[in-house]
Amino acid sequence: MVTKGQILEAIEKFFAADARTVDFTGRKANSKQEAIDGQKQTVELIQKVNEISVHRVGVGDDVTFAEFIFDLDMKDGSKIYWHEIIYSVWKNGKIVFEEYYKGL
């Protein structure tokens, strides 16, 4: 879903109501709704998605890791190129904690 640009929909579908997130800037969310609200603010700033791709995925006992590239043109004329690792902890089929690491 994320590679198709359905970031908000993925949060809605896969996050538990009390899911917590933290990103590499220190921004935190303490619920699914806070995560949706924070991502919505970011999504609204995007002019064009050039690429969202996943390169590697790791799966363990209730833990997943995914390596993504986000290449975005923003409405203010800037460009964002994120290499990001997303670490997710799952419980009962829902994400309860997610942390975002900035790649190289």
Side-chain angles (χ1 to χ4, degrees):
M1 292 178 77
V2 172
T3 60
K4 294 178 182 174
Q6 300 171 339
I7 297 167
L8 298 174
E9 294 87 348
I11 294 170
E12 183 62 46
K13 182 174 182 176
F14 292 109
F15 274 39
D18 61 348
R20 296 178 304 109
T21 66
V22 62
D23 72 17
F24 51 84
T25 68
R27 183 174 70 170
K28 297 178 181 180
N30 292 305
S31 68
K32 175 171 46 176
Q33 190 58 53
E34 282 185 22
I36 289 170
D37 293 344
Q39 286 299 324
K40 190 180 291 186
Q41 290 176 359
T42 301
V43 168
E44 290 172 352
L45 300 174
I46 298 170
Q47 178 70 38
K48 179 182 175 197
V49 174
N50 299 309
E51 175 188 6
I52 301 175
S53 56
V54 63
H55 294 273
R56 291 174 190 85
V57 175
V59 179
D61 293 332
D62 294 323
V63 174
T64 58
F65 295 87
E67 177 187 16
F68 283 91
I69 296 293
F70 294 88
D71 182 359
L72 312 168
D73 293 340
M74 307 307 285
K75 289 179 180 176
D76 68 1
S78 66
K79 294 185 179 288
I80 291 179
Y81 187 85
W82 278 321
H83 176 215
E84 187 171 72
I85 311 301
I86 300 176
Y87 163 70
S88 306
V89 178
W90 297 74
K91 184 177 179 183
N92 299 321
K94 298 287 185 179
I95 294 170
V96 294
F97 177 75
E98 197 162 78
E99 188 162 358
Y100 311 99
Y101 296 91
K102 187 174 183 178
L104 300 173

